[in-house]
Amino acid sequence: MEGERGDDGLKEPLLLQHVNGVAIDIPPQQQFSYDGSKKLRTVKFKIREIKCASCATSIESVLSNLNGVESAVVSPLEGQAVVKFIPGLITAKRIKETVEEAGFPVDDFPEQDIAVCRLRIKGMMCTSCSESVERAIEMVDGVKKAVVGVALEEAKVHFDPNLTDTDHIVEAIEDAGFGADLISSGKDVNKVHLKLEGLNSSEDATFVQNFLESTQGVSQVEIDLSEHKVTVSYDPNLTGPRSIIQYLEEASHGPNIYHASLYTPPKRRETERLKETQMYRNRFFISCLFSVPVLLFSMVLPMIPTYGNWLDYKVHNMLTIGMLLRWILCTPVQFIVGQRFYVGAYHALRRRSANMDVLVALGTNAAYFYSVYIAVKALTSNTFEGQDFFETSAMLISFILLGKYLEVVAKGKTSDALAKLTDLAPDTAHLLTLDGEGNVISEMDINTQLMQKNDIIKILPGEKVPVDGVVTDGQSYVNESMITGEAKPIAKGPGDKVIGGTMNENGCLQVKATHVGSETALSQIVQLVEAAQLARAPVQKLADQISRFFVPMVVAAAFITWLGWFIPGVAGLYPKHWIPKVMDEFELALQFGISVLVVACPCALGLATPTAVMVATGKGASLGVLIKGGNALEKAHKVKTVVFDKTGTLTVGKPEVVSAVLFSHFSMEEFCDMATAAEANSEHPIAKAVVEHAKKLRQKLGSPTEHASEAKDFEVHTGAGVSGKVGDRTVLVGNKRLMMAFHVPVGPEVDDYMMKNEQLARTCVLVAIDGRVAGAFAVTDPVKPEAQIVVSSLRSMEISSIMVTGDNWATANAIAKEVGIGKVFAETDPVGKANKIKELQLKGMTVAMVGDGINDSPALVAADVGMAIGAGTDVAIEAADIVLIKSSLEDVVTAIDLSRKTISRIRLNYVWALGYNVLAVPIAAGILYPFTGIRLPPWLAGACMAASSLSVLCSSLLLQSYKKPLHIKDSKDSSLD
């Protein structure tokens, strides 16, 4: 019954009533009964020294007796064991130990089960906060690694799911005084969110959960009964959203009829950012509502006697109306509007750390409570005269809130590029239903989130491509600039790949979906950039080290400043006229101390690196250059040597025949026919180039409709060529080694032809018929038109270029000479390429390797910076530090130039952040006051502190205006491989 449902769900597209969902009544079929309460895990490993079937049986018996093991199967021939167990009752490690205790060694046992989750963290202010969150997470039993990004406001946690879960991690973060929301876990990359009508009770929820978990392809089910929402994680190779919706419709039983429709959850990041922005804005306005009158009553109206005299009227003893009004208006600002500073400071001190909240709370409390002391003293004394600082506390909080509001707005702009990428995919698609002969039966509009693998969709001119796929019908030009940075539209026809989020220009295309959901190139790019923005750059270590002792040092400096002004003032060590008329020695010293507390800014230091990395990685992604984090950026800016692979990197990677010659009495027509017949069954790129050229040449010479012969006894000779019989003739097509193996004489005329072509970077394909060389094809892999300009540009950046290839020396030297590379390593295998890079590194060079990301993986890993070029839709290349989506070499220059600009910007940010604190703290402490009379009041010091964070953010945002250093026009169409 279940298999039947699965087939139906995959074969028959469900007719959707509206774009966002499905609501079809299906009569109740059969009640499903099964136990979905047991969460099973499977572990596979090899067991050695199994001598017979009885050994396998005894191992199975020992394992089956373990509490928690559901089943154990051991193959006596291969020694392969497959064990299903309940993680809550037994661990994989205990299973391994049991087998070893039985006397059998275990091999290929999987590494410890590690899960990954991403969390959104709320309430972080600076690097000190991110370190506190990291420590809180790492203290949870089972957590292996935690990385927290203060600018991205996210955490990535690696943990053992047998020991802890995401709920415990969230709880630990909240205990540390921060908010946390789960964004995703590694096992649920493909999710569909559904609204389920008919879900009314906990029994319904249990039934639906058990039902879905037993369905093939469904990995996890989460149900929110109060909201009637179901979130399903699934394997797109086995099922899809529409199939899951159909399963839910079929789960209707008895009086319960389920109606499922797609639910799009709000974008949490944007929602949180908007909420935070509104919160700071509203608090600033409320603060101003009270602070502005306080400022008027303390500084403006007293300067205008006509309007300010009434403020000096005594309420009781020496307490004036002005002082009482300032006290009343300042109190809500201090304790209601400024509550977040108290909460932040409390949590920071509770976890034995200190942040900006501590500094603000100390400064404002000192001003406020001293002012309260003055007010109470004035109330109880008829002779006391003193100056309150209520305006200092109120204005300080207002300016800091304004600074935080502007900072949040600027922070939002650092992820603009990523947001634009996320929004590229269209919301709807035209789904086609075809009959057996490929004719369209029906067409409907569906939500893109409901698309499944192998769906056929229609893309009209001017519409965006919804998912990755292959064109099955139609011709058009597709603009891929938003993904690859390639400005020129690419011609697309049957068999060509298209990328989701790109724009169809002028023709109608039918496309078969190959990658949907989180597997699309667009989703992978977004995931890669998000991971990059979370990765911490080594240069950030400076800020991390400073942040540990920054706040305690500032508090100490503030206390020393207060003592430094108060004690000499009491002792009469400086002139009395230095003290303002409305103050005494204590009050002047207190003002300087508070100014030091609030002027110091740890936030600017913490934001210097991550904001620049966020903007740079986002900007790089929009240009088709995916940089995997700050570490890759920092390494790339140091590169002094770039090693290029030849085939597919410096060259186009598509061989083409440039000449064909005869060395015998055979006609060109017969020569072409023989070569075509022999090479027709070969998959080698050079063979395909020979066949294509021979067919074109045959058409030019006439009789193109003649039936082509087929080669019999076809045989491939690895690294040499092919052989076979065409009619009654024996045909060999390949290199000189093949001719020698079959004792075919190669005359001086042929040798001369081969030598001339090899010097021109061409490969010669010889064709022998009945034991004699009949002719040859000269094949070349054209050099990319931009290669020479790129090598020249790198040279101008003081970067040397080296070529490494598996080809022969003659071809390698010819290519190197053409593009302007002076140093070549030829006839090198993949491991040899990696060794050459290590040799260069031993000479003290920082080396970047540019390759295709597949054959060059060892070299990409060995290099300081691995650049995978021409990744196209395959953007998740593990070996590379930088992924270049296009095949254009100009992006190598872009990647290095962008990294240099970014590191330069980070250094500038540090100069500003550190320079600000180095200059501002002494000025706030009053170092200029004796000489110039310039004093930095606390409220102005707070404004300066807010401005410093904002200046660092604006500095990072300037990277959004980055322009590529090279804009090379390619004369030929390029397409993604």
Side-chain angles (χ1 to χ4, degrees), residues 430-449:
H430 308 297
L431 179 69
L432 302 180
T433 307
L434 308 180
D435 61 15
E437 296 176 0
N439 300 315
V440 178
I441 300 172
S442 66
E443 177 184 332
M444 72 190 88
D445 287 352
I446 66 163
N447 192 296
T448 309
Q449 294 178 52

Side-chain angles (χ1 to χ4, degrees), residues 913-933:
L914 282 170
Y916 162 79
N917 283 295
V918 167
L919 290 173
V921 171
I923 292 171
I927 198 168
L928 298 178
Y929 187 60
F931 314 106
T932 62

Side-chain angles (χ1 to χ4, degrees), residues 257-315:
I257 296 177
Y258 300 124
H259 302 267
S261 59
L262 186 67
Y263 163 72
T264 306
K267 293 179 180 177
R268 196 172 283 174
R269 176 181 292 175
E270 286 77 5
T271 307
E272 291 288 347
R273 187 82 71 191
L274 185 63
K275 195 185 289 182
E276 190 179 15
T277 306
Q278 289 174 342
M279 182 268 287
Y280 278 117
R281 186 192 63 196
N282 294 341
R283 289 199 174 186
F284 170 66
F285 286 146
I286 294 167
S287 180
C288 285
L289 191 66
F290 295 99
S291 300
V292 172
V294 171
L295 183 68
L296 287 172
F297 296 157
S298 62
M299 293 185 175
V300 179
L301 291 180
M303 306 287 287
I304 312 169
T306 314
Y307 298 100
N309 289 337
W310 62 277
L311 292 170
D312 293 327
Y313 293 157
K314 307 282 193 302
V315 177

Side-chain angles (χ1 to χ4, degrees), residues 876-898:
I877 296 176
E878 293 297 325
D881 299 295
I882 297 175
V883 179
L884 311 177
I885 299 178
K886 276 192 301 175
S887 292
S888 175
L889 284 168
E890 66 185 85
D891 287 340
V892 174
V893 178
T894 302
I896 295 173
D897 184 62
L898 178 59

Side-chain angles (χ1 to χ4, degrees), residues 58-93:
S58 65
I59 294 170
E60 287 177 359
S61 176
V62 169
L63 290 175
S64 298
N65 289 332
L66 290 173
N67 182 32
V69 172
E70 288 288 297
S71 67
V73 180
V74 180
S75 165
L77 297 176
E78 299 174 359
Q80 181 82 14
V82 180
V83 183
K84 291 185 177 180
F85 65 99
I86 302 169
L89 299 176
I90 192 169
T91 62
K93 184 181 176 184

Side-chain angles (χ1 to χ4, degrees), residues 145-164:
K145 182 185 174 186
V147 182
V148 180
V150 66
L152 195 61
E153 296 176 339
E154 284 185 13
K156 188 175 183 180
V157 186
H158 299 251
F159 63 96
D160 183 349
N162 296 314
L163 298 175
T164 190

Side-chain angles (χ1 to χ4, degrees), residues 88-134:
L89 299 176
I90 192 169
T91 62
K93 184 181 176 184
R94 178 70 190 120
I95 292 169
K96 179 188 177 187
E97 288 170 351
T98 303
V99 176
E100 289 174 338
E101 285 167 5
F104 298 93
V106 173
D107 283 339
D108 298 337
F109 198 81
E111 291 294 320
Q112 190 177 21
D113 189 10
I114 297 295
V116 181
C117 70
R118 280 175 55 229
L119 301 156
R120 178 143 359 267
I121 311 296
K122 293 178 281 189
M124 289 194 298
M125 306 287 286
C126 56
T127 312
S128 174
C129 297
S130 64
E131 285 189 339
S132 298
V133 174
E134 271 185 22

Side-chain angles (χ1 to χ4, degrees), residues 344-354 358:
Y346 165 73
H347 286 298
L349 294 171
R350 202 186 75 173
R351 56 181 181 262
R352 296 180 182 177
S353 66
V358 173

